[in-house]
């Protein structure tokens, strides 16, 4: 086997390959583009393209593809071969123009109301900040995607813009504070990815998993996660073989896959990479999800990325670990030894606190999806209420700043806020609060409300933009101050005081918190339609427009696309349920009832002294449930048809949530109770026991 250091990045057109294969001047020009965002000359692009092509062909590639992230939630690619006619034959060619720009037909990608107003043509443009790579005989070029007239149609463009904005605003603040050597800052992300692995043969027998990614029926297995024996448990051989191959595939593609372990639910696992810049972390997370599914096939497994494949056990999320660091190597969210006198840290912390409080709705919106609605607020993921956890020490510090009191760390040494030399700050002094949606974990924030299948670009561009905005406000307050340090302390005190309601260190799963949060005026947006209703609130539109992340039209398009995707998903789920009910479940129940009746008759025919009570009772009980099941099937068909007719997107999403989803839950509960009563032989689908304990 090749050693990992040689394997790592072997399929990536990375810095090492560029240095080896590009002329010095070309390399330098490209580095300037990558590091400082300077435009790339076409003559330089031609040289880069040619070197990329030669390298890719050596790796067995025949094609290239512009790889992009449209609003569908999955990545898109269209492959073109390198061939150019040459006499009787062909040669392999790739131009700078082809590298820089592609023109996929945009008309079939979701574009919301933009579609009506603008032409359907779209462009993909090379993103040189994320390295190209080879996969399955193609050279993959990460790109951004926009319409012919420049409207943003993807998830990457706003992310790149937001990173720029945050960099600009953070640098301004740092310069004010005397750090004039800092030229750029970058946001960094480490996304922890949860997933389920189940047996392919069982999966193939579940139409619900195939069409919707989750089980729509399924009685609880006698054993779930209550023994807590799966979490961090020994990894089974078949899963270990899968994980090993997955790691290797990811390493080849330059993904820093680091940690793997079993998760809480049976058959559930997690993979975490080492963090990188938000942009690369996003591309790598998309790649990771794709490779996870592909490698699973080779092991006769299926990797489920849905947020809630199984009722009654934990669903899957994604923890978005986020921080900001400078080009000089400083993590701006690192408290250092003396956070109480670290004005720079406290100022950035205050910006995040203010952002999370003012844009709770956006953070909630950005993690909303049909799948994630099953998790948020269901005592397994963080609740739908957005709040922040700072840890005991930092919380005490923030409160001492608000109150102007002395600050006491772990009851050790008394300290006066703001004075210079104080005792050591303990970074990880308190138990980590696993229930908080937005937790400070030492030198980064961990946003934990993301669903497992989500593209992390959206939460990150929102987070970056809102923090950039707060920093620009701070800058305006500080730029003319005579004593910046003192003025900054005042901004910090004011900000913590005004936004302390967002900080909550207790148990986010408790009912008391729901009541307390309401008293504090925090939002509790329980489902996607409730959250999306706030998307176009003036303050949100103003934020994105002010920072040039999205126009109002583009935001409206995003809003409509999200709502439509939600309604469509629920529509597919309802229709799949109806199909399962009518085609499989009802006939199976009838057959099983008939068997009971036949058995009862046979017993009676044998002798009048043999009791047929068991069969008769079961047949009776099941036919009662079956009747209720049929009624609910008809009701579900009706509410689904009605919801499909609603025109206005938000109203429609509410119709699906309040009527269709609610009816699906009712139908499921009767279906599951029928499954409990039936023989496994007659039930048409593999059971939860088989699915969850089958690998
Ligand atoms: P856990 O939360 O499971 O204890 P860690 O704290 O080690 O795990 O890290 C979780 C994730 O956070 C990893 O992907 C790690 O790379 C990432 N991470 C660590 N430091 C940073 C940072 N400065 N910025 C972004 N992500 C980070
Ligand atoms: Mg974590």
């Amino acid at each position: 086997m090749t050693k990992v250091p040689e394997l790592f990045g072997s399929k990536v057109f990375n810095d090492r390959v560029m240095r080896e294969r590009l002329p010095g001047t070309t390399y330098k020009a490209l580095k300037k583009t990558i590091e400082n965002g300077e435009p790339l000359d076409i003559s330089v692009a031609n040289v880069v393209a040619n070197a990329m092509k030669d390298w890719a062909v050596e790796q067995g590639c025949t094609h290239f593809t512009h790889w992009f992230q449209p609003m569908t939630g999955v990545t898109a690619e269209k492959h073109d071969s390198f061939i150019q006619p040459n006499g009787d034959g062909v040669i392999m060619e790739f131009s700078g123009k082809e590298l820089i720009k592609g023109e996929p037909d945009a008309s079939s990608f979701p574009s919301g109301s933009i579609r009506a107003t603008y032409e359907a043509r779209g462009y993909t443009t090379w993103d040189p900040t994320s390295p190209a790579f080879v996969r399955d005989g193609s050279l993959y070029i990460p790109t951004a995607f926009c319409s012919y007239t420049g409207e943003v149609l993807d998830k990457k463009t706003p992310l790149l813009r937001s990173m720029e904005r945050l960099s600009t605003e953070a640098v301004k603040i740092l310069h004010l504070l005397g750090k004039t050597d800092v030229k750029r800052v970058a946001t960094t992300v480490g996304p922890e990815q949860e997933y389920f692995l189940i047996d392919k043969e069982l999966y193939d027998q579940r139409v619900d998993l195939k069409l919707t990614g989750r089980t729509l029926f399924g009685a609880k297995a006698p054993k779930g996660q209550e023994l807590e024996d799966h979490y961090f448990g020994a990894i089974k051989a078949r899963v270990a073989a899968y994980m090993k191959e997955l790691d290797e595939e990811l390493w080849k593609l330059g993904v820093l896959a680091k940690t793997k372990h079993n998760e809480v639910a049976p058959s559930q696992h997690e993979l975490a990479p080492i963090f990188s810049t938000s942009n690369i972390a996003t591309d790598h997370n998309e790649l990771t999800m794709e490779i996870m599914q592909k490698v699973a096939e080779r092991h006769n497994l299926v990797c489920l990325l849905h947020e809630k494949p199984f009722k009654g056990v934990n669903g899957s999320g994604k923890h978005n670990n986020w921080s900001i660091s400078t080009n000089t190597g400083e993590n701006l969210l690192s408290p250092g030894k003396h956070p109480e006198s670290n004005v720079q840290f406290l100022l950035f912390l205050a910006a995040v606190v203010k952002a999370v409080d003012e844009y709770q709705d956006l953070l909630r919106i950005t993690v909303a999806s049909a799948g994630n609605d099953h998790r948020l607020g269901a005592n397994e993921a963080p609740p739908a209420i957005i709040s922040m956890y700072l840890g005991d020490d930092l919380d005490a510090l923030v409160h001492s700043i608000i109150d102007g009191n002395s600050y006491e760390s772990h009851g050790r040494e008394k300290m006066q806020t703001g004075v210079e030399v104080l005792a050591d700050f303990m970074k990880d002094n308190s138990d980590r609060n696993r229930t908080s949606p937005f937790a400070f974990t030492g030198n980064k924030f961990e946003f934990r409300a993301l669903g497992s299948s989500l593209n992390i670009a959206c939460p990150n561009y929102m987070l970056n933009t809102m923090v950039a905005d707060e920093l620009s406000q701070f800058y305006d307050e500080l730029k003319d101050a005579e004593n910046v340090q003192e003025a900054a302390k005042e901004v910090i005190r004011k900000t913590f005081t005004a936004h302390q309601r967002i900080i909550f260190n207790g148990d986010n799963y408790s009912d008391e918190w729901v009541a307390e949060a309401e008293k504090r005026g925090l939002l509790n947006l329980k489902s996607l339609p409730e959250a999306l209703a706030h998307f176009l609130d003036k303050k949100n539109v103003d934020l994105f427009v002010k920072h040039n992340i999205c126009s109002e039209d583009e935001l409206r398009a995003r809003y409509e696309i999200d709502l439509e995707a939600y309604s469509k998903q629920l529509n597919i789920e309802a229709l799949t349920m109806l199909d399962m009910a009518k085609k499989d479940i009802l006939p199976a129940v009838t057959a099983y009832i008939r068997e009971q009746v036949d058995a009862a008759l046979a017993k009676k025919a044998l002798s009048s002294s043999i009791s047929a009570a068991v069969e008769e009772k079961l047949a009776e009980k099941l036919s009662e449930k079956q009747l209720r099941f049929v009624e609910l099937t008809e009701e579900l068909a009706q509410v689904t048809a009605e919801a499909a007719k609603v025109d206005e997107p938000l109203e429609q999403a509410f119709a699906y949530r309040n009527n269709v989803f609610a009816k699906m839950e009712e139908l499921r509960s009767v279906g599951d109770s029928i499954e409990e009563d039936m023989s496994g032989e007659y039930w048409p689908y593999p059971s939860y026991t088989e699915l969850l304990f089958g690998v």
Side-chain angles (χ1 to χ4, degrees):
M1 198 197 105
T2 326
K3 293 201 179 87
V4 177
E6 277 96 79
L7 198 71
F8 187 83
S10 57
K11 295 192 169 184
V12 185
F13 194 77
N14 55 20
D15 194 61
R16 185 179 46 77
V17 182
M18 288 194 269
R19 231 177 308 127
E20 272 169 23
R21 292 182 173 247
L22 295 176
T25 47
T26 312
Y27 173 76
K28 274 190 212 131
L30 181 57
K31 281 302 265 190
K32 270 193 190 153
T33 301
I34 295 172
E35 278 160 18
N36 311 329
E38 287 177 23
L40 197 68
D41 197 76
I42 185 69
S43 60
V44 177
N46 278 328
V47 179
V48 176
N50 195 52
M52 269 188 183
K53 182 258 306 172
D54 286 345
W55 171 80
V57 169
E58 281 166 34
Q59 304 251 350
C61 289
T62 51
H63 288 69
F64 70 92
T65 180
H66 275 202
W67 186 59
F68 58 105
Q69 299 170 26
M71 302 301 294
T72 50
V74 287
T75 60
E77 50 195 72
K78 184 183 115 197
H79 301 257
D80 282 298
S81 71
F82 291 122
I83 61 163
Q84 282 296 332
N86 185 24
D88 288 340
V90 293
I91 48 167
M92 302 298 255
E93 268 189 359
F94 186 45
S95 68
K97 195 168 154 270
E98 287 172 304
L99 166 64
I100 290 177
K101 197 160 139 192
E103 286 189 46
D105 182 2
S107 59
S108 294
F109 289 107
S111 53
S113 50
I114 288 179
R115 185 171 33 216
T117 350
Y118 304 96
E119 257 195 84
R121 267 168 79 192
Y123 285 132
T124 48
T125 39
W126 178 35
D127 166 20
T129 63
S130 181
F133 54 92
V134 299
R135 224 185 118 184
D136 306 324
S138 278
L139 169 68
Y140 278 67
I141 299 151
T143 58
F145 180 47
C146 63
S147 79
Y148 183 61
T149 36
E151 280 73 28
V152 177
L153 296 175
D154 73 345
K155 306 196 176 191
K156 182 186 271 267
T157 310
L159 179 65
L160 292 173
R161 289 180 179 170
S162 75
M163 289 171 74
E164 274 311 309
R165 286 303 303 133
L166 185 55
S167 176
T168 305
E169 295 305 332
V171 168
K172 274 159 60 185
I173 293 271
L174 290 168
H175 285 189
L176 266 189
L177 294 174
K179 292 253 167 82
T180 45
D181 55 332
V182 175
K183 298 277 176 282
R184 289 175 78 79
V185 312
T187 47
T188 49
V189 169
E192 300 166 61
Q193 178 72 46
E194 293 182 340
Y195 61 99
F196 279 85
L197 275 186
I198 62 164
D199 189 88
K200 172 86 166 62
E201 266 141 46
L202 298 171
Y203 170 87
D204 283 338
Q205 297 167 53
R206 298 275 332 197
V207 62
D208 46 2
L209 283 177
K210 286 205 275 188
L211 298 188
T212 72
R214 73 182 184 101
T215 52
L216 299 171
F217 289 103
K220 262 179 88 165
K223 178 180 166 179
Q225 62 195 41
E226 58 279 77
L227 296 179
E228 292 166 347
D229 52 353
H230 190 68
Y231 189 57
F232 281 24
I235 298 169
K236 287 183 193 157
R238 193 169 166 200
V239 175
Y242 164 82
M243 288 176 164
K244 180 172 184 290
E245 193 178 329
L246 175 61
D247 277 339
E248 287 170 5
E249 289 297 318
L250 291 174
W251 289 335
K252 284 185 209 163
L253 291 166
V255 177
L256 292 157
K258 172 81 174 163
T259 312
K260 51 189 179 186
H261 61 81
N262 287 349
E263 258 301 328
V264 172
S267 276
Q268 192 185 29
H269 314 280
E270 182 181 294
L271 181 147
I274 296 170
F275 68 94
S276 42
T277 61
S278 308
N279 180 35
I280 291 177
T282 301
D283 286 357
H284 281 182
N285 185 245
E286 290 298 299
L287 257 183
T288 299
M289 291 193 284
E290 289 173 26
I291 303 286
M292 276 179 159
Q293 287 169 306
K294 230 176 110 174
V295 172
E297 275 174 38
R298 290 188 222 138
H299 291 254
N300 210 21
L301 296 166
V302 175
C303 171
L304 303 177
L305 291 169
H306 193 281
E307 283 75 15
K308 193 73 183 176
F310 304 103
K311 196 175 169 169
V313 296
N314 268 19
S316 299
K318 184 139 59 189
H319 289 177
N320 190 81
N321 295 274
W322 174 90
S323 193
I324 319 170
S325 58
T326 65
N327 66 319
T328 51
E330 191 181 359
N331 180 344
L332 296 174
L333 293 179
S334 177
K337 286 193 167 175
H338 304 296
E340 61 287 339
S341 55
N342 187 342
V343 167
Q344 178 189 304
F345 165 70
L346 290 172
L347 201 57
F348 279 91
L349 178 69
V352 180
V353 168
K354 184 166 186 280
V356 175
D357 187 29
E358 288 177 349
Y359 298 102
Q360 297 159 47
D361 49 353
L362 280 183
L363 289 173
R364 173 65 185 89
I365 285 163
T366 191
V367 298
S369 71
N372 216 19
D373 271 6
H374 297 285
R375 293 173 65 243
L376 298 180
N379 271 11
E380 57 167 74
I385 305 164
I386 300 289
S387 71
M388 292 172 93
Y389 168 79
L390 297 182
D392 291 342
D393 230 19
L394 211 46
D395 188 56
L397 172 56
V398 166
H399 279 96
S400 73
I401 292 172
I402 293 170
D403 302 338
N405 290 338
S406 59
Y407 157 60
E408 205 168 330
S409 175
H410 335 279
R412 292 188 310 176
E413 255 170 286
K414 276 246 175 195
M415 329 179 181
Q416 194 66 44
T417 314
V419 282
E420 291 308 307
V421 188
L422 296 163
D424 278 8
F425 176 73
M426 306 292 282
K427 186 162 105 171
D428 271 333
N429 63 326
S430 53
D431 262 341
R432 290 188 173 190
N433 185 333
R434 289 277 163 201
T435 68
S436 175
F438 204 96
F440 185 73
T441 48
N443 58 3
K444 61 188 190 290
F445 275 99
E446 186 168 349
F447 185 23
R448 301 201 180 110
L450 283 70
S452 46
S453 67
L454 190 72
N455 181 317
I456 61 171
C458 298
N460 284 297
Y461 86 70
M462 294 205 179
L463 195 52
N464 294 346
T465 309
M466 59 185 78
V467 173
D469 189 65
E470 307 303 356
L471 290 174
S472 82
Q473 291 178 35
F474 287 179
Y475 177 80
D476 287 342
E477 280 188 60
L478 297 175
K479 63 177 191 285
D480 299 323
E482 265 168 40
N483 184 334
V484 175
Q485 292 282 325
E486 284 311 310
K489 282 185 194 167
E490 183 51 22
V491 167
I492 291 164
R493 196 194 57 76
K494 248 176 36 191
T495 307
F496 285 146
T497 307
H499 298 283
Q500 53 184 303
R501 65 171 187 171
I502 198 71
I503 299 168
F504 177 62
N505 278 1
D507 179 3
N508 282 256
Y509 295 171
S510 69
D511 295 335
E512 292 77 35
W513 170 233
V514 177
E516 166 69 17
E518 195 179 341
K519 253 193 253 154
R520 293 190 190 186
L522 299 181
L523 293 167
N524 185 2
L525 306 169
K526 294 198 186 93
S527 65
L528 179 137
E530 282 171 82
L532 265 285
H534 290 274
F535 201 175
L536 299 178
D537 286 359
K538 185 171 180 316
K539 74 169 174 65
N540 297 338
V541 175
D542 287 351
L543 175 74
F544 292 115
V545 172
K546 173 179 166 197
H547 293 282
N548 228 335
I549 306 294
C550 294
S551 68
E552 188 166 357
D553 280 348
E554 288 161 1
L555 271 185
R556 178 167 294 282
R558 260 148 228 268
Y559 161 82
E560 286 168 6
I561 290 166
D562 283 354
L563 288 170
E564 275 173 21
Y566 177 85
S567 294
K568 282 180 189 164
Q569 181 61 28
L570 262 67
N571 193 57
I572 293 169
E573 290 187 358
L575 296 182
T576 306
M577 258 190 131
L578 289 170
D579 220 48
M580 293 169 82
K582 288 189 221 165
K583 296 214 164 71
D584 300 331
I585 298 176
L586 284 171
V589 182
T590 302
Y592 190 58
I593 292 172
R594 186 183 305 128
E595 195 205 57
Q596 300 310 308
V597 173
D598 287 350
L601 288 174
K603 274 185 174 177
K604 282 181 188 159
L606 212 57
S607 150
S608 58
S609 62
I610 299 180
S611 165
V614 175
E615 288 79 6
E616 282 171 0
K617 244 198 221 149
L618 186 54
E620 232 170 80
K621 188 169 151 197
L622 275 174
S623 27
E624 256 170 52
K625 288 187 186 178
Q626 193 188 22
L627 191 61
R628 182 72 193 125
F629 191 78
V630 172
E631 285 166 6
L632 286 169
T633 307
E634 280 159 13
E635 287 168 26
L636 177 59
Q638 197 185 337
V639 289
T640 307
E642 278 163 14
K645 276 188 236 144
V646 179
D647 258 345
E648 203 282 319
L650 183 62
E651 227 177 273
Q652 182 175 51
F654 270 115
Y656 274 103
R657 172 75 191 177
N658 296 337
N659 309 335
V660 177
F661 181 69
K663 197 55 78 184
M664 284 166 61
E665 292 282 280
E666 270 186 79
L667 179 63
R668 173 177 187 146
S669 98
V670 178
D672 290 356
S673 93
I674 293 177
E675 182 184 349
E676 279 165 13
D677 287 341
M678 278 198 19
S679 111
E681 223 179 290
Y682 276 78
W683 187 253
Y685 307 112
S687 68
Y688 264 32
T689 305
E690 291 170 282
L691 290 168
L692 287 168
F693 298 92
V695 175

